[in-house]
Amino acid sequence: MRNMILAAVLTSFAFGASAQNLSSPIGHWRTLDDETGKPMTVTEIYEAQNGTLAARITENLGLPATCTGCSGKYKNKPFVGIVTLWNLTPTGNGTWGNGNGYKPSDDRNFKAKSVRLVDGGRKLEVKGCVAFICKTATWVRVD
């Protein structure tokens, strides 16, 4: 009987954790190429030390091994480990924004206007802007 209760409690924690996961962008996401829709990376969104959200590439799925087109500190470095979003703060209604971003495949910095969960938390819309031109990328949850 004791084992059954313990199993029930552990199961409820597991279901609670997965439900909570879908209400937060924290986790692993598959990024897709804007033009082809092919997977490019797995990117982890995590809580940074300053309490904001950030993202870094954890797995390379379809890019060259190193970022030869990158400038600055990422020039000729592996894609894995590149920080792609930082300083994201809650903006209300399950949306984060007012942060910064870097798209290594274009070697472009951008303003991270909004990061919003869609499709029940299974997808993430990342809206970035350079000056007044904005694009939205869709990421797909991995975990």
Side-chain angles (χ1 to χ4, degrees), residues 54-97:
R56 69 176 154 245
I57 298 171
T58 58
E59 188 177 345
N60 184 345
L61 300 176
L63 299 171
T66 59
C67 192
T68 57
C70 290
S71 60
K73 66 181 179 180
Y74 296 126
K75 185 171 183 63
N76 297 319
K77 300 287 187 205
F79 278 95
V80 172
I82 292 178
V83 175
T84 57
L85 296 171
W86 62 95
N87 289 332
L88 295 169
T89 58
T91 58
N93 297 329
T95 303
W96 292 259

Side-chain angles (χ1 to χ4, degrees), residues 22-138:
L22 293 179
S23 66
S24 168
I26 292 176
H28 291 86
W29 299 87
R30 184 174 298 110
T31 65
L32 308 173
D33 183 271
D34 296 341
E35 295 171 14
T36 66
K38 290 183 180 181
M40 293 175 50
T41 68
V42 172
T43 297
E44 176 190 21
I45 295 182
Y46 59 96
E47 186 173 340
Q49 288 181 345
N50 64 2
T52 63
L53 294 185
R56 69 176 154 245
I57 298 171
T58 58
E59 188 177 345
N60 184 345
L61 300 176
L63 299 171
T66 59
C67 192
T68 57
C70 290
S71 60
K73 66 181 179 180
Y74 296 126
K75 185 171 183 63
N76 297 319
K77 300 287 187 205
F79 278 95
V80 172
I82 292 178
V83 175
T84 57
L85 296 171
W86 62 95
N87 289 332
L88 295 169
T89 58
T91 58
N93 297 329
T95 303
W96 292 259
N98 301 320
N100 302 65
Y102 176 65
K103 186 174 181 183
S105 60
D106 290 345
D107 190 34
R108 178 172 293 148
N109 288 299
F110 60 89
K111 175 74 174 160
K113 187 95 170 157
S114 70
V115 173
R116 181 172 70 101
L117 291 165
V118 296
D119 194 20
R122 289 182 278 285
K123 293 183 180 176
L124 193 67
E125 289 182 344
V126 180
K127 183 177 184 179
C129 302
V130 176
F132 60 89
I133 300 170
C134 298
K135 286 188 175 183
T136 301
T138 301

